[in-house]
């Protein structure tokens, strides 16, 4: 909620900057201003003044109607915190709600743009930029390879803030086991205390098979344990700061660090699910059975939409060059 409220206020001020709304007209905001804002945020991003300098600094992507409602809640809370009354009366709120329903009927429920997948080339680039003898780098690498090969959400290998770690919710050092399968091949087993798709009390298991390359997640986890020894109740993906204190891997900081490396090498920005999507894409490209991918990724169905990007990348292998 805090993040969505912050995003709502940022979007509102961008709107005001684009349309040259003076500061004194933003607080308190009029019904007319807020009505225009929600229509702009949820409809066509091209309806902005041409040549506006701020357009070059911000990407304008329309958001869903449900997100716009959160934005309005953020603006309402901002008014109250600043000592003003809520900006909209009941009748005005109902008027805006009818407009939003109309937009939803017109555009449907918007979804986020497809996230770009992390690729093997990107992993190699990340690896070549790291010094695995450094605690933070060792932690980043273990998290990145685990997220990719384990088809994990990045939030499962990180926490939202340094103080957010909870051993009942987040993965700990004691939740990792190094084992061998029936063919005596090494693998790592991660037990997630909680997960997005898990029922209360359900433990979900991640199996990381060893890979014959520098991208091996099992080797990365062994390296993390060597470089950053920690107690069993410590965060699984953690590092030691300059004072020798154990710190959990914070999602925002980790992705910012990874993005910095990839952007510097000409790749696009990576998002948390990009590792999960990239791992699934790679496995399907190697013709791994989709059912195996489903099990590895803990999808409850074949999750067709999650595989569309992967299929696009390898479509020619399956449906190209057919005899006509």
């Amino acid at each position: 909620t805090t993040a969505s409220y912050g995003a709502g206020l940022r979007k509102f001020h961008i709107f005001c900057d684009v349309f040259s709304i003076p500061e004194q007209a933003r607080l308190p905001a009029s019904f007319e201003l807020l009505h225009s804002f929600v229509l702009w945020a949820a409809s066509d991003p091209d309806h902005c003044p041409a040549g506006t300098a701020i357009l070059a600094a911000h990407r304008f992507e329309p958001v869903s109607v449900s997100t716009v409602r959160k934005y309005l809640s953020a603006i309402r809370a901002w008014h109250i915190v600043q000592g003003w009354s809520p900006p909209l009366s009941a009748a005005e709120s109902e008027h805006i709600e009818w407009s939003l329903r109309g937009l939803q009927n017109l555009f449907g429920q918007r979804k986020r743009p497809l996230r770009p997948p992390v690729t093997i080339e990107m992993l190699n680039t990340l690896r070549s930029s790291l010094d695995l003898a450094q605690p933070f780098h060792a932690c980043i690498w273990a998290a990145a390879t685990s997220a990719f090969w384990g088809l994990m959400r990045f939030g499962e290998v990180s926490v939202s803030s340094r103080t957010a770690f909870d051993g009942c919710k987040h993965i700990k050092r004691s939740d990792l086991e190094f084992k061998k399968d029936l063919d005596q091949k090494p693998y790592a087993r991660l037990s997630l205390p909680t997960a997005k798709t898990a029922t209360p009390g359900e433990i979900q298991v991640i199996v990381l098979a060893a890979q014959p390359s520098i991208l091996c997640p099992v080797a990365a986890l062994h390296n993390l344990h060597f470089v950053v020894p920690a107690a069993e109740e410590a965060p699984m993906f953690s590092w030691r700061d300059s004072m020798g204190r154990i710190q959990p891997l914070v999602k925002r900081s980790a992705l910012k660090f990874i993005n910095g490396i990839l952007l510097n090498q000409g790749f696009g920005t990576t998002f948390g699910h990009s590792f999960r999507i990239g791992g699934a894409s790679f496995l399907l490209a190697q013709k791994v059975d989709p059912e195996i991918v489903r099990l590895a990724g803990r999808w409850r169905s074949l999750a067709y939409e999650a595989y569309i990007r992967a299929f696009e990348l390898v479509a020619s292998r399956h449906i190209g060059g057919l005899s006509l």
Side-chain angles (χ1 to χ4, degrees), residues 115 143-144 146-148 150-161 164-166 169-172 190-197 204 206 235-237 248-255 258 270-277 298:
R115 301 173 178 91
S146 294
F148 183 88
L151 311 185
M152 300 174 72
R153 301 170 181 87
F154 208 80
E156 293 172 339
V157 298
S158 60
V159 295
S160 59
S161 70
F165 176 75
D166 182 344
K169 298 178 180 180
H170 302 110
I171 193 167
K172 307 177 295 297
L190 294 171
S191 300
L192 298 181
T194 58
K196 185 177 181 179
T197 58
Q204 291 193 348
I206 309 296
M236 174 62 246
F237 297 97
L249 186 66
V250 176
K251 182 178 179 180
R252 182 184 296 272
S253 300
L255 290 179
I258 293 170
T270 303
F271 302 97
H273 274 50
S274 294
F275 288 90
R276 179 171 165 86
I277 296 169
R298 296 161 290 134

Side-chain angles (χ1 to χ4, degrees), residues 31 88-101:
F31 161 74
L88 298 172
S89 67
E92 289 170 339
S93 294
E94 183 66 15
H95 188 142
I96 287 180
E97 180 59 26
W98 278 108
S99 296
L100 290 175
R101 290 176 189 173

Side-chain angles (χ1 to χ4, degrees), residues 233-248:
E233 296 307 307
M236 174 62 246
F237 297 97
S238 53
W239 54 285
R240 290 187 183 274
D241 61 20
S242 59
M243 303 294 291
R245 297 170 299 196
I246 286 289
Q247 301 288 355

Side-chain angles (χ1 to χ4, degrees), residues 290-291 293-295 298-304 307:
E291 178 65 10
V293 176
R294 182 189 72 80
L295 292 173
R298 296 161 290 134
W299 282 289
R300 296 194 180 279
S301 69
L302 285 180
Y304 173 74
Y307 297 146

Side-chain angles (χ1 to χ4, degrees), residues 12 16 21 28 62 116 150 184 202 212-213:
F12 175 65
C16 291
I21 306 299
Q184 295 303 301
E202 177 188 359
S213 74

